[in-house]
Amino acid sequence: MSTLGSQLRLSAADLACAVEQPGWGEEFRDEQAEREELRAPSERCLHETGPARDEPAVLLGRFDLPADLVHGDRPRPGAEGRGYGPPRLLTPERVAAVERRLADLPFDVLAADLDPAALGDDDPHALDRLAAEYAALRTFLARTACYRHGLLVRHA
């Protein structure tokens, strides 16, 4: 079963608020989601994977990355799990490490010898859709690392 996933780019100050104040990250994410369409694509701070979240997890799970970009590293302190668990955090350092690693892994390398059946999707265009998702994720991740921001990862 697929779930909806989102990664919210957080400054160091915002990341500290997410750690120290229960509920702050979820409220901040909802506020940012409302403003997202007004931002230029290069300034967007929210990446949503939609129902294909499992596919990037399969793709990226085939390689040794320094952090789990799809699911996050550690639960946000004090967060309660709802459905798919609590929101999880990636520090700016971990984001930068993943970004550096993925810079050396273009989609054709990641997807080489990937059996589309492993994605759990019999759509003949599943790999094309995954390639587009990977490109969007890489752009978002590069921007996040450039700003030296962390991520709040949430699944619903």
Side-chain angles (χ1 to χ4, degrees), residues 77-155:
E80 294 182 19
R82 290 184 236 160
Y84 293 96
R88 299 178 75 83
L89 301 170
L90 281 169
T91 64
E93 297 78 20
R94 302 282 280 172
V95 168
V98 172
E99 196 281 327
R100 285 190 303 272
R101 176 73 171 113
L102 290 181
D104 296 331
L105 291 171
F107 182 79
D108 60 337
V109 171
L110 280 169
D113 78 344
L114 177 64
D115 180 4
L119 300 175
D121 191 341
D122 58 1
D123 179 355
H125 303 290
L127 284 178
D128 294 334
R129 190 176 58 249
L130 184 55
E133 171 58 32
Y134 181 70
L137 181 61
R138 284 279 301 118
T139 299
F140 177 76
L141 187 63
R143 186 172 49 252
T144 301
C146 178
Y147 285 122
R148 295 187 176 106
H149 284 176
L151 292 174
L152 177 68
V153 180
R154 183 177 90 163
H155 300 287

Side-chain angles (χ1 to χ4, degrees), residues 26 30 33 43 47 56-57 64 85 103 116 128 137-138:
E26 291 78 14
D30 292 343
E43 294 304 314
H47 178 79
D64 185 28
D128 294 334
L137 181 61
R138 284 279 301 118

Side-chain angles (χ1 to χ4, degrees), residues 44-96:
R44 293 198 174 137
C45 64
L46 183 64
H47 178 79
E48 295 183 302
T49 57
R53 185 220 20 126
D54 295 336
E55 293 172 357
V58 169
L59 180 72
L60 298 175
R62 301 171 72 223
F63 290 83
D64 185 28
L65 297 179
D68 188 342
L69 182 61
V70 175
H71 300 102
D73 270 352
R74 61 185 173 97
R76 187 186 64 73
E80 294 182 19
R82 290 184 236 160
Y84 293 96
R88 299 178 75 83
L89 301 170
L90 281 169
T91 64
E93 297 78 20
R94 302 282 280 172
V95 168

